[in-house]
């Protein structure tokens, strides 16, 4: 750990030297130069490669009309690519159930006690039953739902094997949502939405309850795997960016008919083409600020565009940027998803990605609680103006936009806004938000937030009891003479994305300067 810490200190020192040397170069040029230099340096600054083992399965030779064109090609190509990236690969093609079970055992024993990286890639038929997802072997004879647990392979058996091995990180990729030829055996179309266990990323070729494209012709690759192969080979293939770019490319190519989906509980970064887990140091504030200013300049040039390709290009450049979620919202507005929204295990259908969250005349009553004294005061917010995406409450005292970004409150104004809940909010989702702001007394500042939807919690407020998504936020605001650290906890109703409870704490010089709690009393 001491060695890694020295590397982090060295990175920050180098960033400082680079910024000083760049002189009068513009904000965008500084950010690009610094980030390129840090990427180059980090190759020698990372920890030694972890043990990495992948189980790759491609099942296509199903009997009769159930046969598929490309899963074997997909599996072969993925296996070859992962080997080039330093994975030990256990590969199965057109496998029987017994072979799949043996391979899962082999992967577990290979990884056992090594705190390594375990990966499953599966292409073939998949189905859901009672909120469990199954891979279908080529020898399965599925006449009814009762046959599924005994003749298919539960994805959880792989997760259990990884858990028993004591893996540090698990990656599960399921390109398994082709049209189900066994309709009487499953609970629904496609695969079920499942939250990722700790230390795991789950990646699906398409959204829960939908189906994926098997590819244009035999001998090629499925749509999802085609782009996954492309992104795995990119330099500095950071795991989060890999799957975000795959999702973006598949969505664009299918014109919204297929949209991949991920659930993640990863805390560390992983780079495929280096095969390492990296515990990232807190970024140098000046480097982060220059990166945001460059991104914001690009955003200002396209934010009012009516051409969806402008936003696809922006997201290719900034897949995990400070304004990426706002760009996704614009994509959805200009090219509506053609996938079907399905209920989760609690029967909740999430709010559509480009839905109007605020409507003229909507009224929210809140109790505002002083964190120090516990004294309550009641406030009412009424949507008094909706113009395009801009939403004003109480005649402009508070301003939001339909993405869920707050542009103004009693503390000040923010550009491009503080995004407290993106449209596709789900457990495991992480995002960043940054803004240039002016306080209510005219002091300019810049703010940064990191958000993480950590799980579901049952929360009771005067309005009632909700099973809500808990979002934890941490941030900081830099003004000319003061640094304020920010903490927040927000509970969102997943069906409406209303924030039914909210806690915020501001700290200056280690002391709490602001502590407030907001609870919903009524909404209409």
């Amino acid at each position: 750990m001491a060695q890694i810490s020295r590397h982090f200190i060295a990175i920050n020192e180098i960033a400082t030297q680079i910024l000083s040397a760049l002189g009068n170069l513009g904000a965008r040029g500084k950010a690009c130069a610094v980030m390129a230099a840090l990427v180059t340096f980090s190759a020698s600054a990372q920890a030694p490669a972890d043990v990495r083992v992948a189980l790759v399965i491609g099942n296509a030779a199903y009997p009769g009309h159930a046969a598929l064109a490309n899963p074997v090609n997909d599996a072969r190509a993925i296996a070859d690519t992962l080997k080039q990236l330093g994975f030990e690969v256990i590969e199965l093609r057109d496998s029987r159930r017994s072979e799949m079970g043996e391979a899962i055992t082999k992967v577990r024993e290979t990884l056992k006690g090594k705190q390594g990286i375990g990966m499953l890639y599966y292409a073939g038929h998949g189905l859901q039953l009672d909120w469990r997802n199954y891979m279908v072997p080529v020898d399965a004879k599925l006449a009814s739902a009762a046959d599924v647990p005994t003749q298919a392979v539960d994805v959880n058996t792989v997760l259990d094997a990884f858990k028993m091995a004591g893996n540090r990180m698990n990656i599960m990729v399921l390109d398994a949502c082709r049209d189900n030829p066994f309709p009487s055996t499953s609970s629904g179309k496609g695969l079920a939405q499942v939250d990722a266990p700790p230390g795991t990323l789950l990646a699906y070729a398409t959204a829960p309850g939908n189906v994926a494209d098997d590819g244009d012709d035999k001998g090629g690759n499925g749509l999802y795997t085609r782009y996954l192969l492309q992104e795995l080979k990119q330099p500095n293939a950071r795991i989060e960016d890999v799957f975000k770019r795959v999702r973006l490319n598949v969505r664009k190519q299918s014109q919204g008919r297929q949209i991949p989906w991920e659930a993640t509980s990863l805390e560390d970064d992983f780079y495929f083409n280096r095969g390492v887990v990296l515990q990232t140091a807190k970024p140098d504030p000046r480097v982060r600020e220059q990166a945001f200013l460059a991104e914001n300049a690009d955003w200002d040039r396209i934010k009012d565009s009516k051409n969806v390709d402008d936003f696809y290009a922006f997201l290719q450049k900034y897949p995990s940027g400070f304004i990426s979620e706002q760009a996704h919202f614009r994509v959805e507005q200009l090219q509506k998803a053609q996938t079907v929204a399905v209920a989760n295990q609690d029967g909740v259908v999430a709010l559509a990605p480009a839905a109007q969250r605020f409507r003229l005349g909507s009224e929210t009553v809140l109790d505002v609680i002083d964190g120090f004294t516990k004294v309550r005061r009641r406030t009412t917010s009424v949507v008094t103006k909706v113009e395009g995406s801009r939403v004003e409450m109480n005649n402009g005292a508070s301003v939001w936009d339909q993405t869920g970004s707050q542009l103004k409150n009693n503390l000040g104004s923010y550009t491009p806004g503080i995004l407290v809940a993106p449209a596709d909010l789900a457990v495991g989702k992480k995002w960043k938000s940054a803004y240039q702001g002016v306080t209510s007394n005219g002091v300019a500042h810049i703010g940064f937030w990191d958000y993480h939807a950590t799980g579901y919690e049952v929360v009771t407020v005067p309005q009632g009891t909700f099973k809500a998504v808990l979002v934890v936020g941490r941030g900081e605001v830099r003004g000319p003479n003061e640094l304020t650290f920010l903490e927040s906890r927000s509970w969102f109703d997943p069906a409406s994305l209303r924030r039914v409870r909210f806690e915020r704490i501001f700290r200056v010089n280690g002391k709490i300067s602001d502590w407030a709690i907001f609870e919903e009393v009524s909404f209409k």
Side-chain angles (χ1 to χ4, degrees), residues 55-59 75 90-96 99-100 103:
L55 173 57
V56 177
I57 304 172
N59 289 342
I90 297 168
E91 185 180 358
L92 295 178
R93 301 174 192 168
D94 291 329
S95 49
R96 299 186 297 273
E99 294 171 327
M100 293 172 71

Side-chain angles (χ1 to χ4, degrees), residues 221-232:
N221 295 117
L223 179 61
Y224 179 80
T225 294
R226 184 194 318 163
Y227 286 111
L228 179 58
L229 288 165
Q230 172 183 298
E231 293 303 324
L232 286 174

Side-chain angles (χ1 to χ4, degrees), residues 140-265:
K141 296 178 175 61
L142 303 176
S144 69
D147 297 325
V148 173
T150 59
Q151 299 209 34
V153 177
D154 190 337
V155 171
N156 281 344
T157 61
V158 183
L159 285 169
D160 290 342
F162 287 164
K163 183 178 179 180
M164 292 175 65
N167 290 353
R168 185 177 179 183
M169 180 180 290
N170 303 312
I171 305 163
M172 312 282 287
V173 182
L174 300 176
D175 191 355
C177 310
R178 277 81 168 178
D179 280 318
N180 178 17
F182 319 104
S184 62
T185 64
S186 62
S187 304
K189 201 173 186 180
L191 297 182
Q193 178 176 332
V194 180
D195 294 332
T200 302
L201 181 139
L202 302 177
Y204 297 80
T206 192
N210 289 264
V211 296
D213 188 338
D214 191 34
D216 297 330
D217 49 51
K218 192 170 183 178
N221 295 117
L223 179 61
Y224 179 80
T225 294
R226 184 194 318 163
Y227 286 111
L228 179 58
L229 288 165
Q230 172 183 298
E231 293 303 324
L232 286 174
K233 297 171 184 176
Q234 295 300 315
N236 306 303
R238 179 172 172 263
I239 188 168
E240 182 179 353
D241 293 344
V242 164
F243 288 101
K244 284 184 176 181
R245 286 194 172 108
V246 170
R247 186 195 323 154
L248 191 70
N249 284 321
V250 170
R251 176 182 182 133
K252 182 178 182 181
Q253 182 66 26
S254 68
Q255 296 184 322
R257 293 186 298 274
Q258 180 177 333
I259 302 177
W261 179 80
E262 300 89 42
T264 179
S265 62

Side-chain angles (χ1 to χ4, degrees), residues 363-366 462-463 498 519-524:
E363 179 183 286
T364 304
V365 178
L366 295 174
Q463 165 81 337
R498 294 196 335 269
E519 295 182 345
E520 188 174 88
V521 176
S522 65
F523 173 81
K524 61 182 180 181

Side-chain angles (χ1 to χ4, degrees), residues 439-453:
T439 65
S440 54
N441 57 357
V443 178
H445 60 281
I446 188 165
F448 296 90
W449 279 97
D450 290 288
Y451 291 103
H452 183 196

